[in-house]
Amino acid sequence: MKTLFHWLATWPLPLLHAFGAALGWVAFLASPTYRRRFLANAAQAGYPFAEVRPAVAAAGRLVAEAPRLWFGELPPVAWVDPELVERARAAGRGLLVLTPHQGSFESTALAFAQRFGPITVLYRPPRKAWLRGLVEGARTRPNLTAVPTNLAGVRQLLRTLRAGGTVGLLPDQVPPQGMGAWAPFFGRDAYTMTLAARLVRQTGAAVVLMRSERLPGGAGFLVHVTAWPGEGPAEAPEAAAAQVNARIETLVRACPGQYLWGYARYKQPRHEDPA
């Protein structure tokens, strides 16, 4: 499998995206469960299928571009408002980057590492052993350190922020039971991680939001940086979760055709020992 991924990493991005678009439609048409969840999540946000139709192909492109991002050269990246990052880092505090399941979220940390320097990201290790080994090696690149969602990983995030470094999180990933709070997301309660608020409260880190938009024709990515209004998430878990979801909604509405509508955002949290 690793050999296959390395081979796919040599493909040009337009070819990978064309293959991925077809893959996305195959998955949408072949899986009734995935299709129902995709349509239900979009409808919950007020979007008819016609408005989010591009997201079907976008989900496939997300899968197809992974070998290139993990093992190949980073495609061209342009930035919108990168000075927000520079301003936050100039203050001498740590920086927390929140990136939703939208666009090429895998490329966001790579693009940050290439332009601004070291970043530590939190990821959930795959359950399959063969995939776990592949992903763990692939997500550690120059200036990019990936830590797992366990106690050791969270401690590493705290150390990084307290030292003035940068940490990246997927704030709309459903956390385990006990590590989140129920808060509205497009009008329906979703179990939302509170880790971001706890990290800010314990380290005084600044917060920015980022989304990486795929450009047409496989031309690369456009990373949008958005400042967090005020000093950061609220202290109360429910209020902080509601604020995070509201910010994500704004990003999604800016480009609904690249949001991962098929993600099981409203599922019940799994039960395991919280970090």
Side-chain angles (χ1 to χ4, degrees):
M1 185 60 68
K2 191 172 183 178
T3 301
L4 173 63
F5 269 59
H6 277 282
W7 176 62
L8 291 172
T10 64
W11 287 24
L13 191 61
L15 184 57
L16 286 171
H17 279 177
F19 170 70
L23 187 67
W25 276 103
V26 168
F28 184 81
L29 296 173
S31 173
T33 301
Y34 170 70
R35 185 167 62 251
R36 281 194 299 268
R37 185 168 61 234
F38 181 107
L39 296 174
N41 288 348
Q44 181 66 41
Y47 290 105
F49 179 62
E51 292 189 39
V52 296
R53 183 184 179 94
V56 175
R61 292 186 181 108
L62 174 69
V63 175
E65 71 195 9
R68 172 70 181 270
L69 297 177
W70 290 355
F71 298 108
E73 182 180 353
L74 181 66
V77 177
W79 289 79
V80 177
D81 295 330
E83 65 275 4
L84 294 175
V85 173
E86 296 162 355
R87 193 181 309 157
R89 286 159 59 92
R93 298 186 290 166
L95 178 64
L96 180 61
V97 177
L98 303 180
T99 302
H101 286 86
Q102 183 179 23
S104 179
F105 54 86
E106 286 276 1
S107 71
T108 308
L110 291 168
F112 185 101
Q114 183 184 73
R115 176 160 183 157
F116 297 106
I119 181 172
T120 300
V121 298
L122 190 69
Y123 80 101
R124 181 180 300 165
R127 295 181 181 180
K128 296 183 182 299
W130 67 268
L131 186 56
R132 190 181 308 124
L134 181 69
V135 170
E136 285 175 356
R139 282 182 168 162
T140 299
R141 305 288 295 275
N143 284 334
L144 175 62
T145 301
V147 297
T149 52
N150 55 28
L151 182 57
V154 173
R155 284 175 173 167
Q156 181 61 45
L157 300 185
L158 286 168
R159 287 194 294 266
T160 299
L161 291 174
R162 285 170 177 160
T166 300
V167 161
L169 293 179
L170 286 168
D172 55 345
Q173 190 166 9
V174 179
Q177 183 70 43
M179 291 191 65
W182 292 97
F185 184 61
F186 289 118
R188 178 182 173 186
D189 279 354
Y191 198 66
T192 304
M193 73 163 57
T194 54
L195 177 60
R198 294 202 303 272
L199 291 174
V200 172
R201 187 165 61 248
Q202 294 182 42
T203 67
V207 185
V208 296
L209 299 105
M210 290 187 185
R211 63 179 180 90
S212 182
E213 180 182 354
R214 291 185 195 86
L215 297 175
F221 308 107
L222 181 63
V223 179
H224 300 257
V225 185
T226 305
W228 182 281
E231 290 299 316
E235 289 193 15
E238 292 77 10
Q243 288 178 339
V244 167
N245 284 347
R247 305 292 183 267
I248 295 172
E249 287 182 18
T250 300
L251 297 187
V252 172
R253 294 201 184 281
C255 190
Q258 292 195 20
Y259 184 63
L260 201 63
W261 294 107
Y263 178 61
R265 184 65 187 89
Y266 300 104
K267 67 181 179 181
Q268 290 291 320
R270 67 192 186 283
H271 292 270
E272 60 181 51
D273 291 334

